[in-house]
Amino acid sequence: MIKKLTWKKVYIGIIAGIISLMIFHIDQLEFISTIYDGVLSYSVSLPMLFLTGVMSFIGGLGREYKVCLAYILTMILYDLITNDMQTILFAGVSFITLTLGALMSIIVSWIQEVT
C-alpha cells in the first residue's frame, strides 16, 4: 500500500529553507557583525550549517526524508535562480548527512535483526 504524501512535512521543509535563506542573507549584510564589533560575517552561517547537518542526520536516522528533501530542493532552486553558491553548500551538507543518517539507520536495524 502506498502512503499518501503528507504535505505538512513538505511545507515544514520549505519553510525551514526560507528561514535559512533569510538568516543567511541577514548575516551576509554584515548586520550581525557590526553589533559584535566586526566579528566575521559567517558567525551565524557556520553554526547554522552545523545545525542543518545535525538535523539532517537525525532525519536520516528517523527515516524522515520528506522534510529534508524539501529543504534541499528549496536551497537548490534558490541557487538556480540567483546563482548563490553558498546555498549549494547547505544543500550538499544536508544531502550528505541525510544519506549518512539513512545508512546508519539501515546498519542499526540490520544489527538489531542479527542479534
Side-chain angles (χ1 to χ4, degrees):
M1 181 158 70
I2 299 174
K3 291 183 180 181
K4 289 186 177 180
L5 179 66
T6 54
W7 286 101
K8 181 180 178 183
K9 293 180 181 180
V10 173
Y11 291 143
I12 290 172
I14 292 170
I15 290 170
I18 292 170
I19 290 171
S20 295
L21 290 172
M22 288 174 21
I23 292 171
F24 184 70
H25 282 292
I26 289 172
D27 195 34
Q28 287 261 323
L29 294 174
E30 296 181 3
F31 173 72
I32 297 170
S33 66
T34 57
I35 293 173
Y36 294 108
D37 296 327
V39 177
L40 289 174
S41 176
Y42 293 101
S43 60
V44 173
S45 297
L46 291 178
M48 191 171 70
L49 184 65
F50 177 73
L51 183 64
T52 300
V54 169
M55 295 306 286
S56 295
F57 184 77
I58 292 170
L61 281 176
R63 297 184 182 175
E64 196 60 49
Y65 308 118
K66 295 174 194 139
V67 176
C68 294
L69 290 177
Y71 177 81
I72 292 168
L73 286 176
T74 303
M75 292 303 206
I76 290 173
L77 287 175
Y78 181 79
D79 179 62
L80 289 175
I81 293 169
T82 63
N83 201 17
D84 188 16
M85 290 302 288
Q86 287 85 2
T87 57
I88 286 295
L89 177 68
F90 279 81
V93 166
S94 182
F95 179 74
I96 290 170
T97 55
L98 175 67
T99 305
L100 288 174
L103 288 173
M104 291 302 295
S105 174
I106 292 169
I107 291 171
V108 167
S109 64
W110 178 72
I111 290 173
Q112 286 178 346
E113 287 178 8
V114 171
T115 59

